[in-house]
Amino acid sequence: MASPQRSWSLSSLPHDLIQEIFYRTPAESLVRAKPTCKQWNALINNKKFIYEHLRRFPEQRRFLRINETVQIIEPVTRTRSAETPIPHELQPRENIKAMVHCDGLMLCMCSDMESRIVHLSLWNPLTRHITLIQPSTRFTTSDYYGIGYGINKYQDGYKILRFSDRRYEDHYHCEVDYEIYYSKTSSWRTLDVAKVDWSIDTTCQGVSVMGNMYWLADKVVQVDLESIIIGFDFTVETFVDVCFCPPIYDNNYLSCFEGDRLSLIQQDEEEPSLIEVWVSSKLADDEDVSFAKYFSVVSADLPWLLFDRDMASHPVYYIAKNKRIMAWCEGVVVEGDRLPVCITLYEIDEGGVRNQHVTERHEENDYAGTFLCGYVYVPSLIPLP
C-alpha cells in the first residue's frame, strides 16, 4: 500500500525558524511575501524585526536613478528591479537637486529655480511611501541637509539637519541658520552653533554613515586653504572637524565604505587616465580618523567620471570587494555628427575597466541631465515617521 503524501509549506515551520529565514531574505522579497498570510505580514511589519533585518542585511547596495521612472539596479549582477512611477511629490524630476540615503530612506531636496520654492521629503523607494517635511519657517536654495540618528533610533527615530551656506545672498533673509528636525515629534529645534570657520564643497551633497553626516569642506589653516571632512554628530547635535583630506584633485567624490568608513575617489580633469581611491580609518574608533591610499588605477581606457560638458551629471559609486569601483556615470559617444549621451555602469579594478554596460541612451539636445547621475541605496522596510 502506497504511503500517503505529506504536504509541506514554509508556513508550517516554527515561528522562530521562519523569522531566521526572513532575516536572511532580501527586503524586496519580503515585500512580495507580505500578502502570503497574516502571520508573515505581521512579522514583516514588526518594528523590532525590521531594524534587526537591516542590521543583519546591510550590504545589499543598489544604484537608484530617476529619469522618466524610478530605476534601481544591482550593479554587480546588473539585475534591475521593476521600474516604478516617480512619486508625485518629487515631480517634475528636474526639480530634484539631491538625495541623501540613510537606512533605506532617501531625504529628497527639490527646488523650483524660478519660484525659488524648496520642498523637503522623506521617501522609502521600496515601500513607495513618502512624506513631506514641513519647514519651521521656509527652506531655501542655499540650504544643506543631512539625515541621521542618535543612540537609539528604534525609540527616538531619525533626525534631519538643515543649515544654510552664507556664500549665497538668499541666505540672509533667514532667521534660522542651523536647525534639527525630530521625526518622532515632527518638530524643529534651533541649534546654538558658534560661528563656523569652514565652507562646504558645493559639489558635495554629503553622506550618512552610522547615523552621522559627513561632507567635504574647505578651511583656512594658518594662511593655507585646506580640504577637510566636516561631520555632524546627531547624538550630541554638533559639528565636528573629522580629519584632513588627501591632496584634492579637480573631481572628488565622497561615499561610504564597508558601513563604518569613508571612501574618497579622485580624478584629475587633465589626466583622466588616473583614478586614486582613499579610505578612512573606522569612524567609530576613539582614535583620530585619517585617510590612507587604498589603490590607484592607471589606464588609458578610464572614463571621465564627470564628463566635460554643460550640465553634466556627477557620478555615483561605491567600492566593492577585491578593490573594485562600481560607478554609474554619463558620457558622450561620438557617432559621426551625432553626440548621444550614454548612462553607463562601469566595473573598474586596478587593471582598468573590466566591464561596462550602457543602461540609458539619449540624444544630447534632448537630455538636460541631473546634478547627480544616481544614488547609492540600500533597500529596507523602515517605515516613515
Side-chain angles (χ1 to χ4, degrees), residues 213-269:
M213 281 295 302
Y214 300 91
W215 293 268
L216 286 169
D218 296 321
K219 179 178 180 177
V220 175
V221 179
Q222 295 180 346
V223 295
D224 297 323
L225 187 66
E226 299 282 356
S227 295
I228 63 172
I229 300 293
I230 287 293
F232 185 83
D233 187 324
F234 278 95
T235 298
V236 296
E237 299 181 351
T238 189
F239 287 97
V240 291
D241 289 7
V242 178
C243 65
F244 285 99
C245 287
I248 291 297
Y249 282 31
D250 296 312
N251 296 317
N252 309 275
Y253 310 106
L254 190 68
S255 189
C256 176
F257 179 72
E258 293 189 349
D260 59 0
R261 288 177 277 178
L262 296 171
S263 65
L264 181 67
I265 280 187
Q266 300 181 321
Q267 186 180 39
D268 195 314
E269 288 182 354

Side-chain angles (χ1 to χ4, degrees), residues 15 34 37-47 49:
H15 176 80
K34 288 172 68 173
C37 67
K38 291 182 179 180
Q39 179 190 11
W40 289 13
N41 185 67
L43 174 59
I44 295 168
N45 284 330
N46 181 273
K47 190 175 181 181
F49 169 84

Side-chain angles (χ1 to χ4, degrees), residues 10-302:
L10 185 61
S11 300
S12 64
L13 296 176
H15 176 80
D16 290 348
L17 184 54
I18 293 175
Q19 180 171 275
E20 193 61 36
I21 293 172
F22 281 4
Y23 280 142
R24 303 164 187 263
T25 303
E28 297 98 327
S29 299
L30 292 179
V31 168
R32 294 192 293 269
K34 288 172 68 173
T36 303
C37 67
K38 291 182 179 180
Q39 179 190 11
W40 289 13
N41 185 67
L43 174 59
I44 295 168
N45 284 330
N46 181 273
K47 190 175 181 181
K48 185 176 180 180
F49 169 84
I50 288 172
Y51 280 93
E52 181 63 15
H53 180 271
L54 179 65
R55 187 186 72 82
R56 295 197 189 191
F57 218 123
E59 291 300 316
Q60 47 177 337
R61 286 171 293 188
R62 310 282 188 265
F63 284 157
L64 181 149
R65 172 175 166 79
I66 293 181
N67 188 31
E68 300 300 328
T69 59
V70 178
Q71 306 168 22
I72 298 174
I73 187 170
E74 203 289 321
V76 176
T77 64
R78 302 179 191 169
T79 303
R80 285 176 174 267
S81 302
E83 296 186 10
T84 58
I86 302 172
H88 172 74
E89 292 83 352
L90 302 182
Q91 297 190 38
R93 67 177 177 83
E94 292 81 7
N95 287 352
I96 301 173
K97 301 309 175 188
M99 297 186 191
V100 180
H101 170 266
C102 179
D103 288 356
L105 303 179
M106 306 298 293
L107 179 63
C108 310
M109 291 76 82
C110 301
S111 64
D112 185 329
M113 295 307 294
E114 292 185 2
S115 66
R116 311 287 282 180
I117 294 175
V118 178
H119 297 288
L120 192 66
S121 58
L122 200 56
W123 174 42
N124 185 323
L126 179 61
T127 64
R128 304 188 194 179
H129 293 159
I130 188 168
T131 184
L132 287 173
I133 306 298
Q134 298 300 323
S136 59
T137 52
R138 61 170 291 182
F139 302 130
T140 75
T141 53
S142 63
D143 288 342
Y144 284 95
Y145 299 93
I147 181 171
Y149 48 84
I151 294 176
N152 192 338
K153 63 183 174 183
Y154 178 80
Q155 293 290 337
D156 301 331
Y158 294 85
K159 303 178 183 181
I160 295 171
L161 171 71
R162 169 190 169 265
F163 63 100
S164 297
D165 192 325
R166 290 185 177 275
R167 288 173 292 181
Y168 298 92
E169 293 182 358
D170 73 344
H171 160 80
Y172 287 100
H173 74 271
C174 298
E175 297 179 359
V176 178
D177 291 334
Y178 307 92
E179 56 183 0
I180 195 164
Y181 177 84
Y182 302 92
S183 63
K184 185 176 181 179
T185 59
S186 300
S187 61
W188 290 92
R189 183 177 75 84
T190 302
L191 297 177
D192 184 15
V193 176
K195 183 179 179 180
V196 300
D197 56 354
W198 43 260
S199 57
I200 299 295
D201 185 322
T202 56
T203 66
C204 180
Q205 298 301 318
V207 57
S208 181
V209 182
M210 299 175 64
N212 296 321
M213 281 295 302
Y214 300 91
W215 293 268
L216 286 169
D218 296 321
K219 179 178 180 177
V220 175
V221 179
Q222 295 180 346
V223 295
D224 297 323
L225 187 66
E226 299 282 356
S227 295
I228 63 172
I229 300 293
I230 287 293
F232 185 83
D233 187 324
F234 278 95
T235 298
V236 296
E237 299 181 351
T238 189
F239 287 97
V240 291
D241 289 7
V242 178
C243 65
F244 285 99
C245 287
I248 291 297
Y249 282 31
D250 296 312
N251 296 317
N252 309 275
Y253 310 106
L254 190 68
S255 189
C256 176
F257 179 72
E258 293 189 349
D260 59 0
R261 288 177 277 178
L262 296 171
S263 65
L264 181 67
I265 280 187
Q266 300 181 321
Q267 186 180 39
D268 195 314
E269 288 182 354
E270 302 300 325
E271 291 291 340
S273 58
L274 171 64
I275 292 177
E276 294 191 330
V277 181
W278 300 77
V279 171
S280 76
S281 53
K282 291 186 177 182
L283 299 169
D285 289 349
D286 294 333
E287 299 180 2
D288 292 340
V289 176
S290 62
F291 276 94
K293 177 76 69 67
Y294 191 43
F295 65 96
S296 299
V297 185
V298 180
S299 176
D301 66 350
L302 288 179

